[in-house]
Amino acid sequence: MRSRLPGAGAAAAVTALVLVVAGSWFGYQQLAGPSCSGQIRLSVAAAPEIQPALKAAADKWAADGAEVGGTCVAVNVTAAEPVEVAAAVASKHGATLAGVGQASGTAVTPDVWVPDSSTWLLRLKSGGATAFGPASGASIARSPVVVALPEPVAARIGWPDKKLTWTDLLRQVTSSKPLRAGIVEPTRDAAGLSGLLSLAAAAGGTGSSPAQAQAAMIGALRQLATNRSSLRQDLLARFPRSSDPTAIASGLGAAALSEEDVISYNSTKPPVPLAALYLDPAPMPLDYPFAVLPGIESVKASAAKALFEVLRTPAFRDRLAAQALRGPDGKWGAGFEAPRGAPSPAAGGDAVPPTGQGGAAGLDPTVIQKVTSTWSAATQSGRMLSVIDVSGSMKQKVATANGATRLQVTVAAANEGLALLDDSWSIGLWTFSTNLNGPLDYREIVPIKPLSSNRNAVRQGLATIKPSSGNTGLYDTLLAAYKKVQEDWEPGKVNSVVLFTDGKNEDDNGISQKELLAQLKKLRDPEQPIQVIIIGIGKDVSRAELEPITAITGGQPFVTDDPAKIGEILLQAIALRPSAPR
């Protein structure tokens, strides 16, 4: 069973990944055969559950005389949580991964990375690291994603005789007496993400309208969020540890996990074993891509290629079976004991991607981005001042939005975003232009208050917004908004300003960009961070103008030429966690 290390333990895991102990390299060198000279040192970071199989294969290769072109190869295989390596890789390659957080300051990326899922590579690519993608690493192992339930709970809903679907699970989770389902934070866990994607697809097929489908989705997400965990081990510990009916009723009832998790959990002989439900349609499996990271030396790349060939042998498949993992084609090696009800690979099992591609092959990265952003918006809590541009240019019509104006599209997106946020959020609403409120460029429509008492006021406020004939008073407005959020900064939440605009600063009587930046630097308090997010709409927005502003506050500018996409961008903005300001 994989280990999940919180806090300092996670940092130690990353440090262990990147620090090479001289003695271990010396030991590998002694194992290398006498026919080679010199040494290529190859560092491999692998998901904890596959690391023992990988290390055993690398050790055997070294003992047999691992070499490339006459040069000895020493391989150091370290167990490392995928989310920790992803943070380090994202930092190195300038990528943004929602929900992952910052990398350890001591982290150095490995030469080869074997995470549990190629969705990590896809997320890195869509987050800005263009050298990545699901084709960056060929799969070396496989574990289907299942829904784990205590066997008595599974039996009540028809297991193992009834074939169940994700729609069946959605009904169970959102019923009047819901199944107590949980999830590992899907922005930090590949099995949780796979389950969330399947549940989202099932929710999308419910109801007769997009609004009904969204309501089903939000209901499911909020149910899952009540039993979420950032660590896989913590979630597993919530399953009932006694066969007493009261313990079963009060324990965790269901969670998306890997087949390997269920096998490993049951191998400890718990009082209440877990059943593995293989729901239709089959979710994206964990596929363990062998990813040679961009930028490594050519001799290391050659050594990595040679190691990959070692991992394609029947002997490695048997090593995987000892770790409760299948081969990359879904078939298992000697000694593998499949859970009851597991489909036979020969009968199709879960779909196998084309050779050389991971389980995320063909998946649209925007689907992952939308689902993870919706999750973050619907399940986190925050305090936000929404500031909407009402300058004259916002009257322009949007060709891709059936002739609606830029302002109408913006207000519609704000209403949709509001529906995602629960009552723990605090929201305020401003508009801005130039000289909108006497000499001021901005006007408060609704003060920042909890949505538990403010939701209708925000809706009504949005309905009253009309365009003005003024210009864009960007800088004065941003400074005032920052100060307003700072006044009653709330701990435990992301305090933010989210500003929508379709132009550059056009207030000749206001402060300059230089003055704005100086003021923000002076006001900024690292102990009470305020994130500034600017959503630029249309071709008149200058990213170069916006980036220095958001960089100071740890925020981010989002710019789109197509205003009809503002709803998707707002989701990303709400989901964004603060980065370190510069």
Side-chain angles (χ1 to χ4, degrees):
M1 192 184 304
R2 73 186 69 193
S3 171
R4 288 287 186 262
L5 304 175
V14 177
T15 304
L17 154 69
V18 300
L19 295 181
V20 176
V21 180
S24 68
W25 288 119
F26 177 78
Y28 282 117
Q29 189 172 23
Q30 300 309 302
L31 289 172
S35 61
C36 58
S37 61
Q39 190 177 80
I40 302 169
R41 297 180 174 183
L42 190 69
S43 63
V44 180
E49 64 274 23
I50 199 174
Q51 187 266 351
L54 258 172
K55 185 178 185 304
D59 287 353
K60 180 65 167 61
W61 185 40
D64 291 342
E67 58 88 18
V68 172
T71 304
C72 303
V73 179
V75 184
N76 188 37
V77 183
T78 308
E81 296 296 337
V83 66
E84 301 293 347
V85 185
V89 173
S91 177
K92 181 177 179 178
H93 292 272
T96 300
L97 295 181
V100 166
Q102 299 299 301
S104 164
T106 60
V108 178
T109 56
D111 301 317
V112 176
W113 182 28
V114 184
D116 52 4
S117 172
S118 54
T119 54
W120 289 112
L121 307 179
L122 187 63
R123 289 178 66 192
L124 282 164
K125 182 178 179 67
S126 62
T130 56
F132 289 86
S136 299
S139 175
I140 61 170
R142 193 175 187 81
S143 189
V145 170
V146 302
V147 175
L149 293 83
E151 284 190 355
V153 177
R156 286 202 296 268
I157 61 174
W159 174 84
D161 301 319
K162 183 180 179 182
K163 186 63 177 175
L164 298 165
T165 68
W166 284 94
T167 302
D168 294 327
L169 180 66
L170 182 65
R171 292 194 194 101
Q172 292 285 337
V173 169
T174 57
S175 69
S176 58
K177 294 182 178 180
L179 180 68
R180 292 193 64 209
I183 193 170
V184 186
E185 191 71 43
T187 58
R188 300 176 59 85
D189 182 84
L193 174 59
S194 178
L196 186 65
L197 287 166
S198 291
L199 201 63
T206 62
S208 57
S209 70
Q212 289 176 320
Q214 185 185 56
M217 176 66 172
I218 299 306
L221 295 187
R222 290 184 177 152
Q223 285 291 343
L224 289 175
T226 61
N227 290 294
R228 64 178 165 179
S229 174
S230 60
L231 306 174
R232 189 86 58 98
Q233 287 298 98
D234 285 354
L235 192 72
L236 285 164
R238 298 181 190 179
F239 282 112
R241 304 298 295 178
S242 167
S243 57
D244 179 78
T246 302
I248 293 173
S250 61
L252 186 65
L257 297 166
S258 71
E259 181 184 71
E260 179 270 333
D261 284 318
V262 173
I263 295 172
S264 297
Y265 182 89
N266 287 343
S267 71
T268 65
K269 306 298 181 184
V272 182
L274 295 180
L277 272 61
Y278 297 77
L279 300 185
D280 282 337
M284 184 172 49
L286 302 187
D287 64 312
Y288 301 91
F290 186 90
V292 180
L293 297 193
I296 71 168
E297 302 167 37
S298 59
V299 291
K300 288 188 175 183
S302 297
K305 183 177 180 180
L307 174 60
F308 176 71
E309 292 303 320
V310 172
L311 306 179
R312 293 165 61 88
T313 63
F316 184 64
R317 186 186 295 267
D318 292 342
R319 294 187 193 279
L320 291 172
Q323 300 304 128
L325 294 168
R326 306 181 184 210
D329 56 0
K331 298 178 181 178
W332 50 72
F336 184 90
E337 295 186 12
R340 187 179 178 188
S344 166
D350 51 347
V352 178
T355 302
Q357 297 185 21
L363 182 65
D364 185 347
T366 60
V367 172
I368 291 181
Q369 191 172 67
K370 183 175 182 179
V371 167
T372 54
S373 296
T374 302
W375 164 264
S376 295
T379 60
Q380 71 184 12
S381 183
R383 179 172 174 271
M384 178 198 302
L385 176 57
S386 180
V387 185
I388 297 178
D389 187 348
V390 293
S391 60
S393 57
M394 291 291 282
K395 299 175 185 176
Q396 288 188 29
K397 293 188 176 181
V398 179
T400 53
N402 296 319
T405 66
R406 288 177 175 179
L407 184 57
Q408 288 171 331
V409 169
T410 302
V411 169
N415 269 307
E416 290 174 10
L418 181 66
L420 291 175
L421 309 181
D422 67 23
D423 285 350
S424 68
W425 277 78
S426 293
I427 301 292
L429 178 64
W430 285 14
T431 56
F432 78 102
S433 178
T434 50
N435 300 317
L436 189 65
N437 184 19
L440 300 178
D441 292 342
Y442 48 89
R443 174 184 288 131
E444 181 180 82
I445 306 298
V446 182
I448 305 173
K449 291 183 180 179
L451 282 178
S452 56
S453 61
N454 210 32
R455 190 180 296 273
N456 285 337
V458 175
R459 283 201 189 102
Q460 291 167 6
L462 286 168
T464 66
I465 293 178
K466 305 294 181 186
S468 73
S469 57
N471 293 322
T472 307
L474 180 62
Y475 297 157
D476 282 1
T477 300
L478 262 176
L479 182 59
Y482 190 94
K483 290 178 178 179
K484 174 57 68 174
V485 174
Q486 196 173 50
E487 281 179 11
D488 297 304
W489 188 91
E490 190 171 348
K493 294 184 177 182
V494 176
N495 291 253
S496 62
V497 175
V498 177
L499 183 143
F500 303 82
T501 184
D502 72 340
K504 305 172 185 177
N505 184 68
E506 298 170 326
D507 184 4
D508 295 334
N509 299 317
I511 60 174
S512 67
Q513 186 194 51
K514 183 178 179 180
E515 290 171 317
L516 172 63
L517 298 179
Q519 290 264 28
L520 289 175
K521 286 180 180 178
K522 184 177 179 180
L523 290 167
R524 185 181 67 200
D525 181 353
E527 298 300 317
Q528 295 188 353
I530 297 170
Q531 185 180 54
V532 173
I533 297 168
I534 303 176
I535 300 178
I537 311 160
K539 297 182 179 181
D540 296 329
V541 176
S542 169
R543 180 182 287 272
E545 179 188 28
L546 304 181
E547 284 179 338
I549 301 169
T550 57
I552 288 176
T553 64
Q556 186 173 327
F558 294 85
V559 178
T560 176
D561 288 344
D562 184 358
K565 294 183 178 179
I566 192 172
E568 298 172 20
I569 292 174
L570 177 58
L571 266 182
Q572 297 174 46
I574 294 173
L576 189 67
R577 302 283 86 185
S579 58
R582 300 196 293 273

